[in-house]
Amino acid sequence: MKLPLYKFTAEIKIIGINPYVFVPDKILKNIFKDAGKDKGHIPVKGAVNDKSYKQTLVKYKGAYRLYINTIMLKKSPDRVGETIELTISFDPEDRTIAPHPKLTKALNNNLNAKAVFESLPPSRKHEIIRYISSLKSEVSIDRNISRAIDFLTGNGRFVGRDKPH
């Protein structure tokens, strides 16, 4: 089933350092209907000024926002106040990232770290998995898996945090 693609224009606004646009209410309601939910993160796809993107609609301070990062729109923080053309659609595609096989092996070899990892909220697990999966060299993968295991067992920092919980 092909989902509808909605078109709109919006002015770029900013919260802190994060540029975003508001999705018009009528379109937002249609996306919620297409997604089958109106709470939590809503995966979407579309285009900004004809450049494709995949992003997540996020509710912040009571309103859903589409954050416009520099991958979606070059120099987006410098373009606050500019009106842009967008398309948006619910994205039903699975975005699950499988853990790196070396991370899985390391967790299986350290049951304490595995127990802590399994008790983490899904967003924290995803953060660790995504970070390690994004690494390119075997050296950095090995080094960061070691740091992750240390972090999970209470011996060091990882992904900008002092403690897993």
Side-chain angles (χ1 to χ4, degrees):
M1 175 177 104
K2 185 165 177 152
L3 292 166
L5 186 65
Y6 306 100
K7 289 183 174 188
F8 66 102
T9 59
E11 180 182 329
I12 300 174
K13 300 180 180 298
I14 196 160
I15 292 179
I17 62 168
N18 300 307
Y20 70 92
V21 297
F22 285 116
V23 177
D25 285 340
K26 184 177 180 181
I27 292 174
L28 198 54
K29 286 177 184 168
N30 284 328
I31 289 173
F32 291 157
K33 185 175 148 232
D34 296 341
K37 66 179 188 172
D38 62 0
K39 292 186 170 112
H41 296 163
I42 310 288
V44 294
K45 61 184 176 181
V48 174
N49 292 346
D50 295 321
K51 184 175 190 280
S52 295
Y53 70 82
K54 281 190 173 196
Q55 186 60 289
T56 303
L57 283 174
V58 179
K59 192 171 188 177
Y60 179 72
K61 291 192 173 182
Y64 273 90
R65 304 162 198 273
L66 177 63
Y67 287 92
I68 308 294
N69 59 38
T70 55
I71 294 167
M72 293 166 69
L73 184 67
K74 285 187 195 277
K75 298 186 179 182
S76 57
D78 299 334
R79 296 171 77 168
V80 173
E82 183 178 325
T83 298
I84 57 175
E85 294 181 3
L86 300 106
T87 60
I88 191 168
S89 177
F90 170 64
D91 184 6
E93 194 173 297
D94 182 18
R95 295 187 180 179
T96 305
I97 300 171
H100 192 285
K102 287 184 175 182
L103 175 61
T104 302
K105 183 177 179 185
L107 289 169
N108 287 335
N109 289 337
N110 187 318
L111 297 182
N112 290 337
K114 184 174 184 171
V116 172
F117 182 80
E118 293 301 328
S119 73
L120 294 175
S123 61
R124 189 90 29 91
K125 285 188 223 178
H126 180 71
E127 183 178 19
I128 292 169
I129 290 168
R130 185 180 62 209
Y131 179 75
I132 290 173
S133 295
S134 72
L135 299 171
K136 303 294 183 225
S137 77
E138 291 301 314
V139 170
S140 66
I141 291 167
D142 293 343
R143 179 179 63 243
N144 280 280
I145 288 173
S146 177
R147 287 181 59 219
I149 297 299
D150 286 347
F151 169 72
L152 292 167
T153 56
N155 299 309
R157 290 178 49 86
F158 191 64
V159 291
R161 299 180 184 277
D162 292 323
K163 297 180 181 179
H165 290 281

